[in-house]
Amino acid sequence: MTGQIAQPAIPRGLVAALVLAAAAACVVVALLVLPASSRDPYTRQTLELRGSVEHGAQLFRLNCSGCHGIAAQGLVGPDLHGVSQRKNQRQLIQQVVSGRTPPMPRFQPEPQAMADLLAYLNGLV
């Protein structure tokens, strides 16, 4: 004997189970981390459309200006100038349709109207 301490044998079944559990955990984490909007047909359809800044401005005045201000300067809701530099298009869509941050209501316009609203928001610098 050369002074080495014998290591206990780990059953192969245990190793396989641990590897399988780790792989399953990675898949679950990946599914949770990937934005659901990438699989959302509404978001995909909206992003395929070209929006009208003018129509988006009208939609904004009718639906958003009460909280974000007529010039999007922020009131109850935040200032939206530069919002497209802070959030990507999918995040903007999800913010609008989910109403995730109270008191913002849920709002899901038709995909073309959402594309128009995005075009308007993208122009706010």
Side-chain angles (χ1 to χ4, degrees), residues 8-118:
I10 300 174
R12 288 182 191 250
L14 179 59
V15 171
L18 290 172
V19 168
L20 184 59
C26 287
V27 168
V28 168
V29 168
L31 290 174
L32 292 175
V33 170
L34 290 174
S37 60
S38 66
R39 298 180 304 272
D40 175 35
Y42 173 79
T43 300
R44 274 198 322 260
Q45 185 178 4
T46 298
L47 293 174
E48 290 171 358
L49 299 169
R50 182 180 177 124
S52 160
V53 174
E54 295 79 23
H55 189 245
Q58 290 173 346
L59 287 169
F60 182 87
R61 283 191 299 274
L62 289 170
N63 298 288
C64 312
S65 64
C67 291
H68 293 283
I70 195 75
Q73 77 278 11
L75 292 172
V76 174
D79 182 334
L80 295 177
H81 289 89
V83 71
S84 61
Q85 281 78 46
R86 296 187 303 271
K87 293 186 177 277
N88 67 40
Q89 300 300 285
R90 291 180 187 281
Q91 291 170 321
L92 287 172
I93 292 168
Q94 289 306 306
Q95 179 64 46
V96 170
V97 300
S98 73
R100 236 180 268 174
T101 51
M104 181 153 174
R106 297 179 74 143
F107 175 63
Q108 186 167 340
E110 292 297 318
Q112 182 61 60
M114 186 69 227
D116 295 342
L117 187 58
L118 285 175

